[in-house]
Amino acid sequence: MAEKAKFQAIRGTRDLLPPDTELWDRVEQTAREVFATFGFGEIRPPIFEPTELFARAVGGETDIVSKEMYTFIDREESIEEPKFISNYGNFIDAVLKRMHDGRIPRSGINERAILEMNTCWTRFQNLNLPENGLVPQEELDNITLMILAKNSLQLGPEMSLRPEATASVCRAYIEHTMHALPQPVKLFYTGPMFRRERPQKGRYRQFYQIGAEVLEMVPPNQDPAKNIGKDAAVDAEVIEMVMAFFARLGLEGVKLEINSIGDRECRPKYVELLRAALMKVKDKLGPDSQRRIETNPLRVLDSKLESEQGIIAGLPKIADHLCANCTAQYAEVKRQLGMRGVAYAENWRLVRGLDYYMRTTFEITAKGLGSQNAVCGGGRYDGLVELLGGPPTKGIGFAIGEDRLILSLQEAGKGGVPQGRDVFVAWMGEKAQATAIAAAQKLRAAGFRVELPPVEQKFGKALGQADKLGARYALILGDDEIATGQWTVKTLADGSQAKMSEAEFLELLRKSKPLSS
């Protein structure tokens, strides 16, 4: 007999279970409460989007897009692939019709494949078999080419599970013409993201983020220099908000680091200066850093390799190469943070891994996470909405790694506590069940956690189950309680027992702190 398959969570994913989910709920609810005080509303974008959205926003050459995304073809269901060579003509016609309708992408790959198939199909139709009935090798090669061309077709748009949410929020801002709303638009989100990374402590392939974005359309002919103070104040308030969130949670060892990575005027010049400096020491760097010299020199500053730290320390610092506007904006961000009482440290090596960031960048670390101790990263990304086809728009946001945040809280002893019951209803006798059901309904309506056994239990067994469930009180209902209207209430912590009315019991529960609060 074959062994039954043992299904388990896929590598890099996990089940979140009680009591841990109590902590997850508390963290997310705290985010909603704190962010609301700053005027943010919740957005819930789809979990998958067109791959091109992330390629354009995040950068097609980044590891996220080129290696880590979960991508699939959203295949056109109504088209049937040919089972026989004689069916290829109808198949080609069906593909062309759907390409014209937009149901199949009119991509370069598809257009080349259709051209190849048409050529091969025309040749096949003109095939004259020799008298021996054997198909010549060159005709077999032609059929093979037609099959290969068919297999290269992309029969539907390419989709990807979201690796981050900023691109989705910007897409929604454009799609729903949110630039016509009072500006700025303040949005926050929570939910799962997906990246095919190597799983490690606090890092999963399905991971969760809490994030927020502030988007504001730029009026025509606006002088950027006149809005430096305003932009800096927005940046500082966003940072203040996330720090207030961590403070409300009681997160320990929180440290904020900030930097400016310049803008489109000064950053390209700095990147070339940095690349030239790195080329001089290329042979002393590891393979990852050597590759990044060409693809994204700023990411070399992110290196954690001990052997590279001395080299990086001697590289040019971006703060020395900012343009006048970026220098003024960075100085104003620091002044604004000071007015808000937000402590920070400057870190010239702090860069963001995604292409769309500019000027203000920040990172927040916490205790209990080892070397990978970042729980939040964010920054400004003016121009991203425009890159995605929207109007000129300023933006700043952040993403909190909720998995790491939860881990840090758990390491500090602030994890979820098993939630017991406020009341265990121990009923005895057929007549008592109806009273027990009514009592449970009233107690639950008042917001208390109640366990109601589906069948009658012996008194000792009922109290034993109540104890295992962590109940605070056992409500004992039998013939006497029904006859007198006086409930028997047993306090399980000390074993004391008393008679009281329904109203008196509700008042007792309200005065003591309920577990469900």
Side-chain angles (χ1 to χ4, degrees):
M1 183 176 175
E3 187 178 341
K4 289 184 179 179
K6 184 180 180 182
F7 295 108
Q8 294 182 312
I10 296 170
R11 182 172 180 263
T13 68
R14 59 183 174 149
D15 300 305
L16 301 175
L17 305 171
D20 290 343
T21 44
E22 300 279 352
L23 177 58
W24 284 76
D25 288 343
R26 179 168 67 85
V27 165
E28 291 165 10
Q29 183 56 32
T30 302
R32 290 184 175 93
E33 291 171 359
V34 172
F35 297 171
T37 65
F38 284 79
F40 283 71
E42 185 174 8
I43 181 173
R44 299 188 184 188
I47 282 178
F48 59 91
E49 300 265 12
T51 300
E52 179 60 24
L53 173 68
F54 301 118
R56 195 180 300 182
V58 177
E61 300 302 317
T62 60
D63 285 350
I64 292 174
V65 172
S66 62
K67 298 179 182 179
E68 297 173 359
M69 289 203 307
Y70 287 94
T71 299
F72 62 95
I73 301 299
D74 190 17
R75 181 189 166 89
E76 170 62 37
E77 294 180 2
S78 64
I79 191 166
E80 185 176 345
E81 291 200 27
K83 295 179 181 178
F84 305 101
I85 297 299
S86 58
N87 300 140
Y88 266 72
N90 291 335
F91 176 73
I92 292 169
D93 290 341
V95 170
L96 285 170
K97 182 176 186 300
R98 285 162 177 77
M99 285 178 66
H100 183 266
D101 294 344
R103 286 180 285 171
I104 291 179
R106 202 179 190 92
S107 62
I109 292 175
N110 280 351
E111 290 186 341
R112 286 192 295 272
I114 283 292
L115 180 62
E116 183 76 41
M117 289 176 69
N118 254 325
T119 302
C120 294
W121 174 245
T122 301
R123 179 171 174 174
F124 175 79
Q125 287 180 301
N126 296 327
L127 171 65
N128 291 314
L129 288 175
E131 291 182 5
N132 62 11
L134 297 176
V135 179
Q137 183 60 48
E138 61 268 22
E139 299 301 337
L140 289 175
D141 291 342
N142 177 65
I143 292 170
T144 301
L145 279 174
M146 185 163 61
I147 294 171
L148 290 173
K150 184 266 294 182
N151 291 341
S152 71
L153 280 169
Q154 183 182 311
L155 297 176
E158 190 176 79
M159 305 289 183
S160 291
L161 299 181
R162 62 188 187 193
E164 55 94 53
T166 299
S168 296
V169 173
C170 290
R171 189 265 312 147
Y173 180 87
I174 298 167
E175 180 177 343
H176 301 286
T177 58
M178 298 175 82
H179 61 271
L181 299 174
Q183 303 291 297
V185 174
K186 300 179 179 181
L187 302 167
F188 78 91
Y189 58 84
T190 65
M193 313 293 158
F194 305 85
R195 295 184 193 176
R196 196 179 185 282
E197 295 183 294
R198 182 170 60 86
Q200 54 184 283
K201 183 179 180 181
R203 177 176 289 178
Y204 301 90
R205 291 179 172 181
Q206 176 177 322
F207 57 99
Y208 294 82
Q209 287 187 344
I210 299 171
E213 318 289 346
V214 179
L215 298 166
E216 182 173 11
M217 188 183 73
V218 180
N221 304 316
Q222 185 183 79
D223 181 1
K226 292 183 178 179
N227 285 277
I228 286 174
K230 179 182 176 182
D231 294 346
V234 171
D235 294 359
E237 185 174 81
V238 167
I239 295 171
E240 178 191 6
M241 181 177 79
V242 73
M243 294 296 281
F245 167 60
F246 288 146
R248 179 82 67 88
L249 289 175
L251 186 64
E252 296 181 356
V254 176
K255 182 182 177 183
L256 166 67
E257 293 185 338
I258 64 170
N259 189 28
S260 175
I261 56 172
D263 62 11
R264 280 174 280 188
E265 179 182 337
C266 56
R267 185 168 59 182
K269 299 173 186 175
Y270 170 73
V271 167
E272 288 309 311
L273 181 69
L274 181 63
R275 181 179 280 118
L278 287 167
M279 288 299 295
K280 295 176 182 178
V281 293
K282 182 177 180 180
D283 58 332
K284 298 178 183 178
L285 300 173
D288 282 345
S289 291
Q290 289 184 3
R291 176 175 56 84
R292 287 168 176 165
I293 291 175
E294 296 301 325
T295 59
N296 191 348
L298 287 173
R299 292 302 307 278
V300 177
L301 304 180
D302 261 344
S303 171
K304 301 297 188 292
L305 289 179
E306 192 62 36
S307 60
E308 295 182 350
Q309 301 311 300
I311 298 169
I312 293 172
L315 293 172
K317 295 176 173 56
I318 192 167
D320 299 330
H321 300 277
L322 295 175
C323 63
N325 283 347
C326 287
T327 299
Q329 196 261 357
Y330 186 40
E332 182 60 17
V333 167
K334 290 184 283 186
R335 191 182 78 85
Q336 289 280 343
L337 289 173
M339 286 196 296
R340 288 167 166 78
V342 177
Y344 64 87
E346 294 184 69
N347 179 0
W348 72 273
R349 289 177 54 177
L350 179 60
V351 295
R352 298 258 53 89
L354 305 182
D355 289 354
Y356 51 66
Y357 282 106
M358 61 175 287
R359 290 194 176 173
T360 304
T361 61
F362 61 93
E363 185 173 270
I364 301 170
T365 57
K367 284 184 179 178
L369 298 173
S371 60
Q372 298 289 333
N373 60 348
V375 291
C376 176
R380 177 163 284 277
Y381 49 84
D382 299 356
L384 176 58
V385 170
E386 190 173 6
L387 178 67
L388 297 178
T393 304
K394 295 182 178 182
I396 182 172
F398 62 82
I400 296 166
E402 192 173 2
D403 302 85
R404 291 188 184 184
L405 172 58
I406 295 290
L407 182 59
S408 183
L409 290 169
Q410 290 171 331
E411 292 284 336
K414 297 178 180 178
V417 177
Q419 292 285 7
R421 310 293 190 271
D422 293 308
V423 181
F424 184 95
V425 183
W427 59 275
M428 283 146 282
E430 187 176 339
K431 294 180 180 178
Q433 187 175 19
T435 303
I437 291 172
Q441 289 174 338
K442 290 177 182 177
L443 291 168
R444 287 166 177 160
F448 299 107
R449 292 175 183 254
V450 179
E451 187 70 23
L452 176 65
V455 295
E456 181 181 356
Q457 296 177 325
K458 291 183 179 179
F459 186 66
K461 184 179 180 181
L463 291 184
Q465 187 180 359
D467 189 56
K468 287 178 182 178
L469 292 173
R472 292 191 295 148
Y473 299 101
L475 173 57
I476 303 164
L477 296 175
D479 292 341
D480 288 346
E481 285 75 18
I482 294 170
T484 63
Q486 291 289 299
W487 291 357
T488 301
V489 176
K490 189 177 185 70
T491 305
L492 295 177
D494 59 15
S496 62
Q497 191 167 299
K499 294 273 190 180
M500 60 186 72
S501 67
E502 174 188 321
E504 289 171 334
F505 184 41
L506 281 167
E507 186 61 24
L508 173 66
L509 287 169
R510 290 191 182 104
K511 285 183 177 178
S512 58
K513 185 179 180 181
L515 290 175
S516 52
S517 63

